[in-house]
Amino acid sequence: KKKEEEEKKKSDDDNNGKEDTNTKEEEGTNQNENMDVDDKTNDENKDTTTTTTTTNNPPTTTKENKNNVIMDVTTTTLTPLPTKTRKLIDFRNKIYVAPLTTVGNLPFRRIMKHYGADITCGEMAVATNLLQGGSSEWALLKRHPCEDVFGVQIAAGFPDQYTRCAEVLERECNIDFIDLNLGCPIDLINKSGSGAALMLHKKRLKGSLEGIAKSLSCPITVKMRTGWDEKTPTAHELVRSIQGWEIPGLSAVMIHGRSRLQRYTKYADWDYIEKVATNQNPDMTQIPIIGNGDIFTYTQFEEIKKRQGIESCAMLARGALIKPWLPTELKERRHWDISASERLDMLKDFVKFGLEHWGSDQQGVNNTRRFLLEWLSFLYRYVPVGLIEVLPQEMNHRPPTHMCGRSDLETLMLSRHCADWIKISEMLLGPVPEGFRFQPKHKANSYK
């Protein structure tokens, strides 16, 4: 029995060994068959073409020749993405109403368009307030349909603020150009590095201009002063540096002929503005230079146009506040002896536009009255042509105390007292509430 069991075990072991060898042989044959199939497919794929597509390149065909060299054959060409096209603004022989804080609101700009202004710009808006979504700040960027060429002015102290703000404006607003504020003399603005303080930091200014140029499809302008101090003007050096940066889309640089500390005292230095214009590198593209300051009559503007290198653009600021009909005088080359009744009709239009813009409820009436009084704090400085002894009137001249006009209304408009301005507002908007007081926000004669 023991021998029979041992013989059975041997026979079983022999059978298992045969099965193992059979499976190994089958696996080997399968591998050989797969290799043969791969070789056949490789042979078949020789001298055939395959199409490859990339995101940046057009579809091409790769072809393998007998020498195993890959050849690219362009089959079709993709249409390139359209590049941003910049609108060109020609400032020559145009009348440009400069950005005016508080008083340069939308109803006032409609008045200026009525009297012949060609280009308008919104009030200065602070970039940080825009990025935070402040409704009062965004209201400054609103445009009226009559403003055919309209820009906005932004104040910021750092390149990232300017760049992010430019991206939002490009997406959300309908504007023709954006103006960088390098001239605001207010302490609160300068402490944040904005306004005239940005003139002292060339690296920040260069980064700001480059960031805006990449984000916007509209032209860029820069408005600056002569410098921080009137004794050491720096605008001629800064403009030459800006010229060397070759910023795409930079349409013009506006120079206010006063320093930051000078604010609005004394007369604008047009000789220095001419120096800024002629100090540019003659071997590079010339930046159009537009002067600003004390344009109050057409005779002054004719003298300015004779200066070398300065664009023939009348940039109006306080002159437009005191004489809103100044664009008409410049275009018609005359001194307009406008009557008191015509000026009252102008104020009626302003009130009408104000109620349309701010609303006709009590809040809208209060806002309209407030901005009307702010404007009257400038309008009283105008001396009618029929009363002045020597023409033309200068910007810094004021009507004499207790000066009488040719009518009671004209005499009332010549008054420098706030109580008389309130009387004019009551003629247009009704009586003021009890205890109403008004103090002008602008202190144009302040000097440090």
Side-chain angles (χ1 to χ4, degrees):
K1 291 181 180 179
K2 289 181 180 180
K3 289 180 180 180
E4 290 176 358
E5 291 176 358
E6 289 175 359
E7 288 175 359
K8 289 180 180 181
K9 288 180 180 181
K10 288 180 180 180
S11 61
D12 293 333
D13 293 333
D14 295 333
N15 293 329
N16 291 332
K18 291 179 180 180
E19 292 177 358
D20 293 336
T21 54
N22 291 331
T23 54
K24 288 180 180 179
E25 290 176 356
E26 291 176 358
E27 290 176 358
T29 55
N30 291 332
Q31 291 178 356
N32 293 330
E33 291 176 357
N34 292 332
M35 292 175 64
D36 294 335
V37 172
D38 293 336
D39 293 335
K40 290 180 181 179
T41 55
N42 290 332
D43 293 334
E44 292 175 355
N45 288 333
K46 286 183 179 180
D47 298 332
T48 59
T49 59
T50 58
T51 302
T52 59
T53 305
T54 60
T55 57
N56 297 326
N57 300 323
T60 59
T61 58
T62 60
K63 190 171 183 178
E64 184 178 356
N65 58 12
K66 296 180 179 179
N67 297 327
N68 296 328
V69 178
I70 303 298
M71 301 174 61
D72 293 336
V73 180
T74 303
T75 57
T76 58
T77 58
L78 292 177
T79 303
L81 293 175
T83 58
K84 291 183 178 180
T85 57
R86 297 183 185 276
K87 302 176 183 177
L88 299 179
I89 298 179
D90 186 6
F91 287 93
R92 292 173 298 178
N93 299 318
K94 300 293 192 304
I95 297 177
Y96 173 29
V97 181
L100 301 167
T101 305
T102 303
V103 197
N105 44 63
L106 186 144
F108 172 78
R109 298 197 303 270
R110 291 182 66 179
I111 296 292
M112 296 305 301
K113 290 295 296 183
H114 172 73
Y115 285 111
D118 299 307
I119 304 172
T120 56
C121 187
E123 303 174 59
M124 179 191 70
V126 181
T128 53
N129 295 341
L130 291 175
L131 295 174
Q132 292 172 1
S135 58
S136 60
E137 208 73 18
W138 278 97
L140 303 177
L141 310 182
K142 190 174 180 180
R143 175 182 189 171
H144 192 267
C146 71
E147 298 179 277
D148 45 358
V149 181
F150 174 73
V152 296
Q153 187 184 66
I154 306 299
F158 298 91
D160 63 323
Q161 296 173 352
Y162 267 122
T163 304
R164 285 184 292 161
C165 189
E167 292 173 353
V168 177
L169 293 177
E170 176 73 12
R171 185 173 63 250
E172 301 293 338
C173 296
N174 178 24
I175 56 178
D176 297 310
F177 66 94
I178 183 173
D179 183 58
L180 275 69
N181 186 312
L182 272 68
C184 181
I186 300 175
D187 294 336
L188 181 64
I189 298 296
N190 282 267
K191 287 179 180 178
S192 63
S194 309
L198 189 58
M199 293 183 65
L200 306 176
H201 304 280
K202 286 187 179 181
K203 187 175 180 180
R204 291 185 194 172
L205 177 59
K206 181 181 179 182
S208 300
L209 288 171
E210 291 175 344
I212 292 176
K214 293 178 181 177
S215 304
L216 287 178
S217 60
C218 63
I220 309 167
T221 60
V222 179
K223 187 173 186 291
M224 65 176 69
R225 288 181 174 253
T226 59
W228 190 263
D229 187 357
E230 60 181 316
K231 296 180 180 179
T232 55
T234 58
H236 64 286
E237 299 175 354
L238 185 58
V239 170
R240 193 178 179 94
S241 299
I242 294 175
Q243 184 190 20
W245 297 338
E246 297 182 345
I247 304 298
L250 183 62
S251 293
V253 174
M254 290 76 173
I255 308 293
H256 184 181
R258 296 181 177 87
S259 66
R260 185 261 170 180
L261 296 181
Q262 195 176 353
R263 292 187 180 246
Y264 302 97
T265 58
K266 301 183 181 179
Y267 291 104
D269 190 353
W270 281 92
D271 291 335
Y272 181 74
I273 298 175
E274 185 176 2
K275 177 183 177 181
V276 174
T278 56
N279 190 56
Q280 299 186 63
N281 188 346
D283 297 330
M284 302 184 68
T285 303
Q286 302 294 298
I287 300 176
I289 302 298
I290 299 174
N292 172 230
D294 299 343
I295 298 178
F296 202 56
T297 61
Y298 84 91
T299 55
Q300 294 173 338
F301 181 54
E302 293 299 324
E303 292 296 327
I304 290 171
K305 289 195 295 185
K306 297 177 182 178
R307 292 184 176 270
Q308 183 180 1
I310 301 177
E311 290 292 319
S312 57
C313 174
M315 188 173 185
L316 309 180
R318 284 187 301 161
L321 295 176
I322 300 172
K323 291 170 58 176
W325 55 91
L326 184 56
T328 302
E329 290 190 0
L330 298 180
K331 290 185 175 181
E332 298 180 1
R333 298 168 56 87
R334 67 184 178 96
H335 299 291
W336 185 1
D337 187 11
I338 187 171
S339 65
S341 59
E342 290 175 312
R343 295 164 65 189
L344 183 63
D345 292 338
M346 176 188 68
L347 296 179
K348 289 179 180 178
D349 289 337
F350 177 82
V351 170
K352 175 185 175 182
F353 299 154
L355 295 177
E356 291 177 2
H357 181 59
W358 291 298
S360 57
D361 57 353
Q362 188 60 45
Q363 184 64 35
V365 172
N366 293 340
N367 288 334
T368 304
R369 189 190 303 276
R370 174 199 164 201
F371 289 108
L372 173 63
L373 292 173
E374 291 284 357
W375 188 19
L376 287 171
S377 68
F378 288 93
L379 282 174
Y380 87 92
R381 305 179 191 179
Y382 168 69
V383 180
V385 174
L387 300 178
I388 195 170
E389 294 181 358
V390 179
L391 289 174
Q393 179 186 355
E394 298 290 340
M395 176 74 73
N396 292 342
H397 290 174
R398 299 288 186 273
T401 307
H402 308 300
M403 184 178 185
C404 294
R406 292 166 291 188
S407 64
D408 292 339
L409 180 59
E410 194 170 66
T411 303
L412 185 64
M413 290 181 173
L414 286 168
S415 175
R416 63 180 63 190
H417 301 292
C418 293
D420 292 328
W421 305 340
I422 294 175
K423 289 181 182 178
I424 297 175
S425 73
E426 288 180 329
M427 295 169 59
L428 304 170
L429 291 168
V432 298
E434 294 183 4
F436 180 82
R437 296 288 184 273
F438 172 73
Q439 183 68 30
K441 180 179 178 181
H442 282 266
K443 298 179 180 179
N445 290 330
S446 58
Y447 177 76
K448 288 188 178 181

